[in-house]
């Protein structure tokens, strides 16, 4: 590291530390992150965190610089989800902080462990509202949308702030944590000896086991053993908790079918004999006992009402006691970490012969699955040109199912829904999507985070509208030479490209983008491999080649403008229509 500067020379006449005897808060921050075992930090620099990022890089931590803070946050959140350790990202004050906060809020909703560290301006003029550079009370802005928020005002408190943030992000139900470090704290000069003394205690086990109560496990085992038509419902909490070994043991021991939520696909093979992926409605309507394993009974599951068997009962394995009963009464809650709870439940359950499962239940589901799968295959079979989502996905399906180790990132409306239904997953934590909030604008960040955290190849299948939110960060994929292939499904609009304005205007309709846009040319600007494909055969060849290259690639997948319908599979969530719009 270079020696301390002579002073900044501006009107503030800031003293500079005497290096190496003295360091600053930024150095203490970098060393604290190193102490926590952080390998990657995502972010976007500027006042007051630029030098901190350099020092972090100097400590041997990878610093992945982005073009938009929201994407840095999505990357950190995905890193946290796939690695099991809190992801970290850094933002500048005011707008940079706010841009990043959307990702931290999204992480909180999705139970991804992430720590957003933001520089903030000097406190006094903020609190007196005197008008200062990027002045914003960031701590209080963050609080309502994050799991926890802390502010550090002195350099000596930085290690404590970091440890508290990491514990809050990873322990119990994981979530997004905001750590505010003021400019004076970042720049505060501290004697090196004192700084090193602050850093000597390495925290142990930031997410300790939480054992379930034995009577809760017993109640759950009894209910399940007595069930006639039981089912397991797997959520991304189980994927995050890395309990695929125990879920397999549970399924093998009981022979009970499993249904994976979107990001739990691949926890067990989607096409296994006990996979109930294609018979969700039957599970909802007919199961008498459903075991929720790291899944919430939220809007994605009709909050436990609607189609659900009104007489059915639930077992819920979750780490968060407040989740229980939030929508529907849970007959047998098991509150604890999934590894402990599953171990205890498996040990308490009788062998298959001791279960009361109706012998016709599983064969019935298997028969129905086979029929549904055959019907679905008919949808994917026609090699329609110009392509629609199905004919395009038939090509992606062939390549991705032959490469199950490639992580699939997926967002859009029809592009999301149809891709989820089409492509089977075989490995845990290999599908990352818009998740619980069903948001748009996560794919470039999540693709970077998945590639950086795992070293694996990533394929992002995204709608043209979805791509627009984060497209500039395709350049981040290119700068870091990541093995990421981005496929833009271009049907020229939000939902599709056939919207017609109601009034006499030459402006495009609110849903219309540009079906003739050549997204592949964007890839050229940043030195990526690029492809423009118009048929399933071309797409299949391009995707195969792009993945094999292990280099950044952008494929413009040209669809017909009328492919796709408004809001994909969730059109029912729109307010009651007044007018008939053509989308
Ligand atoms: P999905 O969308 O797949 O249904 P959710 O995000 O809705 O998944 O639910 C995940 C659930 O998993 C949350 O309720 C969360 O509290 C829980 N969870 C996360 N990590 C653990 C863990 N280690 N042990 C137990 N439950 C966990
Ligand atoms: Mg579109």
């Amino acid at each position: 590291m270079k020696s301390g500067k002579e002073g900044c020379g501006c009107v503030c006449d800031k003293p500079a530390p005497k290096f190496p005897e003295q360091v600053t808060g930024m150095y203490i921050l970098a060393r604290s992150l190193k102490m926590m075992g952080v390998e990657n930090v995502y972010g976007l620099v500027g006042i007051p965190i630029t030098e901190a990022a350099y020092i972090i890089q100097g400590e041997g931590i990878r610093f992945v610089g982005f073009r938009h803070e929201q994407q840095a946050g999505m990357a950190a959140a995905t890193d946290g989800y796939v690695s099991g350790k809190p992801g970290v990202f850094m933002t500048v004050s005011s707008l940079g902080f706010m841009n990043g906060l959307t990702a931290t809020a999204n992480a909180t909703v999705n139970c991804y462990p992430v720590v957003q560290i933001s520089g903030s301006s000097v406190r006094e003029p903020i609190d007196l509202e005197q008008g200062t550079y990027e002045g914003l009370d960031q701590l209080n802005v963050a609080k309502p949308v994050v799991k926890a928020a802390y502010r550090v005002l002195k350099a000596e408190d930085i290690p404590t702030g970091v440890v508290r943030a990491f514990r809050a992000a990873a322990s119990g139900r994981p979530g997004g944590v905001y750590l505010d470090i003021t400019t004076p704290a970042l720049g505060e000069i501290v004697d090196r000896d004192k700084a090193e003394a602050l850093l000597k205690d390495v925290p142990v086990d930031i997410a300790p086991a939480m054992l379930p109560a034995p009577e809760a496990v017993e109640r759950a085992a009894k209910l399940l053993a007595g069930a006639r038509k039981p089912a397991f419902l797997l959520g991304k909490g189980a994927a995050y908790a890395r309990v695929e070994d125990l879920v397999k043991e549970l399924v093998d021991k009981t022979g009970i079918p499993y249904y994976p939520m979107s990001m739990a696909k691949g926890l067990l093979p989607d096409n296994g004999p006990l996979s109930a992926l294609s018979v969700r409605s039957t599970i909802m309507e007919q199961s008498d006992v459903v075991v929720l394993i790291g899944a919430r009974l939220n809007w994605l599951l009709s909050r436990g009402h609607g189609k659900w068997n009104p007489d059915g009962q639930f077992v819920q394995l979750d780490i968060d006691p407040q989740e229980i009963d939030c929508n529907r009464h849970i007959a047998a809650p098991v509150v604890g970490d999934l590894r402990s709870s599953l171990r205890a439940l498996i040990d308490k359950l009788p062998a298959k012969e001791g279960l009361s499962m109706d012998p016709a239940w599983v064969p019935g589901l298997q028969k129905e699955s086979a029929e549904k799968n055959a019907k679905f295959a008919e949808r994917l079979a026609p090699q329609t040109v110009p392509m629609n989502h199905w004919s395009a996905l038939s090509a992606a399906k062939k390549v991705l199912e032959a490469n199950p180790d490639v992580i699939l990132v997926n967002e859009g409306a029809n592009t999301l829904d149809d891709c989820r239904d089409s492509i089977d997953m075989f490995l845990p934590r290999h599908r990352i999507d818009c998740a619980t909030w069903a948001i748009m604008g996560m794919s470039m960040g999540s693709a970077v985070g998945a590639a950086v955290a795992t070293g694996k190849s990533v394929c992002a299948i995204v709608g043209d509208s979805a791509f627009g939110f984060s497209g500039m960060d395709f350049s981040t994929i290119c700068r870091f030479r990541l093995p990421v292939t981005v496929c833009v499904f271009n049907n020229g609009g939000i939902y599709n490209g056939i919207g017609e304005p109601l009034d006499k205007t030459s402006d495009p309709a609110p849903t219309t983008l540009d079906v003739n846009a050549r997204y592949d040319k964007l890839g050229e600007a940043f030195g990526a491999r690029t492809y423009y494909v118009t048929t399933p055969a071309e797409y299949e060849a391009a995707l195969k080649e792009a993945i094999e290259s292990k280099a950044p690639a952008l494929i413009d997948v040209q669809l017909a403008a009328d492919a796709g319908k408004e809001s994909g599979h969730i059109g029912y969530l729109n307010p009651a229509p007044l007018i008939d719009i053509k989308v």
Side-chain angles (χ1 to χ4, degrees), residues 33-34 36-41 60-63 79 85 452-453:
L33 295 175
K34 188 80 181 167
M36 297 302 296
V38 172
E39 291 170 43
N40 309 303
V41 171
I61 296 172
R62 195 167 195 196
F63 185 88
D79 184 322
K85 296 181 291 184
V452 167

Side-chain angles (χ1 to χ4, degrees), residues 174-231:
V177 175
Y178 175 58
L179 180 62
D180 188 283
I181 310 183
T182 62
T183 300
L186 288 167
E188 189 182 331
I189 297 169
V190 182
D191 287 343
R192 176 182 285 273
D193 295 351
K194 195 176 162 203
E196 297 297 349
L198 294 170
L199 291 160
K200 67 182 183 350
D201 295 326
V202 179
V204 287
D205 205 2
I206 58 164
M210 290 173 64
L211 304 185
E215 53 280 13
V217 176
E218 200 148 320
R219 196 193 301 129
K222 209 167 148 203
L223 187 62
L224 187 56
R228 299 287 292 156
K229 296 181 173 184

Side-chain angles (χ1 to χ4, degrees), residues 1-8 15-24 51 189:
M1 191 187 289
K2 66 183 159 60
S3 63
K5 292 176 214 148
E6 286 306 307
C8 69
K18 290 191 192 65
F19 191 82
E21 309 95 76
Q22 292 182 323
V23 296
T24 60
E51 192 178 308
I189 297 169

Side-chain angles (χ1 to χ4, degrees), residues 26 44-54 90-92 118-119 186:
M26 288 184 274
L44 207 169
V45 301
I47 295 171
I49 62 159
T50 307
E51 192 178 308
Y54 272 87
M90 292 181 68
T91 53
V92 301
S118 191
L186 288 167

Side-chain angles (χ1 to χ4, degrees), residues 389 414-415 463-466 489-497 513 559 563:
H389 293 83
N414 297 279
T415 306
D464 57 325
S465 158
F489 276 30
N490 185 13
N491 64 353
I494 301 170
Y495 311 129
N496 60 40
L513 296 169
L559 305 188

Side-chain angles (χ1 to χ4, degrees), residues 12-289:
C12 70
D13 200 20
K14 208 161 37 181
K18 290 191 192 65
F19 191 82
E21 309 95 76
Q22 292 182 323
V23 296
T24 60
M26 288 184 274
Y27 172 84
I28 297 174
L29 172 62
R31 297 280 297 143
S32 303
L33 295 175
K34 188 80 181 167
M35 177 178 82
M36 297 302 296
V38 172
E39 291 170 43
N40 309 303
V41 171
Y42 307 85
L44 207 169
V45 301
I47 295 171
I49 62 159
T50 307
E51 192 178 308
Y54 272 87
I55 301 174
I56 284 167
Q57 207 174 35
E59 286 293 318
I61 296 172
R62 195 167 195 196
F63 185 88
V64 183
F66 273 77
R67 307 301 296 267
H68 194 287
E69 296 88 350
Q70 189 185 67
Q71 295 311 305
M74 296 295 175
T78 296
D79 184 322
Y81 173 71
V82 297
S83 74
K85 296 181 291 184
V88 181
F89 75 109
M90 292 181 68
T91 53
V92 301
S93 35
S94 71
L95 202 69
F97 151 77
M98 299 249 269
N99 286 343
L101 188 62
T102 54
T104 309
N106 185 58
T108 306
V109 168
N110 284 302
C111 316
Y112 302 147
V114 78
V115 177
Q116 177 181 358
I117 301 174
S118 191
S120 62
S121 296
V122 181
R123 289 247 24 97
E124 290 82 346
I126 294 176
D127 290 348
L128 269 172
E129 296 190 9
Q130 292 174 307
T132 189
Y133 170 76
E134 296 195 343
L136 178 70
D137 185 0
Q138 295 174 191
L139 183 76
N140 285 307
V141 170
K143 269 184 180 167
V145 294
V146 299
K147 183 179 175 193
Y150 308 101
R151 179 185 286 142
V152 173
L153 293 153
K154 290 183 291 188
E156 68 185 63
D157 289 334
I158 289 174
T160 306
V162 168
V163 171
R164 276 184 77 66
F166 273 62
R167 279 197 182 281
S171 62
R173 170 181 281 180
V177 175
Y178 175 58
L179 180 62
D180 188 283
I181 310 183
T182 62
T183 300
L186 288 167
E188 189 182 331
I189 297 169
V190 182
D191 287 343
R192 176 182 285 273
D193 295 351
K194 195 176 162 203
E196 297 297 349
L198 294 170
L199 291 160
K200 67 182 183 350
D201 295 326
V202 179
V204 287
D205 205 2
I206 58 164
M210 290 173 64
L211 304 185
E215 53 280 13
V217 176
E218 200 148 320
R219 196 193 301 129
K222 209 167 148 203
L223 187 62
L224 187 56
R228 299 287 292 156
K229 296 181 173 184
F232 297 126
L233 213 147
L234 314 176
K236 65 180 175 298
Y240 168 72
R242 308 175 96 83
V243 289
E244 48 273 17
D245 55 338
L246 293 182
V247 174
K248 181 175 186 313
E249 195 179 328
L250 179 66
V251 169
D252 287 347
K253 179 169 181 174
T254 58
I256 293 173
Y258 57 88
Y259 176 86
M261 298 299 288
S262 184
M263 281 176 57
K265 276 166 67 80
L267 191 70
L268 297 183
D270 278 357
N271 66 352
L274 289 174
S275 169
L277 199 48
S278 314
V279 288
R280 172 184 158 121
S281 295
T282 309
I283 297 281
M284 289 167 87
E285 287 160 13
Q286 296 189 18
S287 277
D288 57 349
V289 176

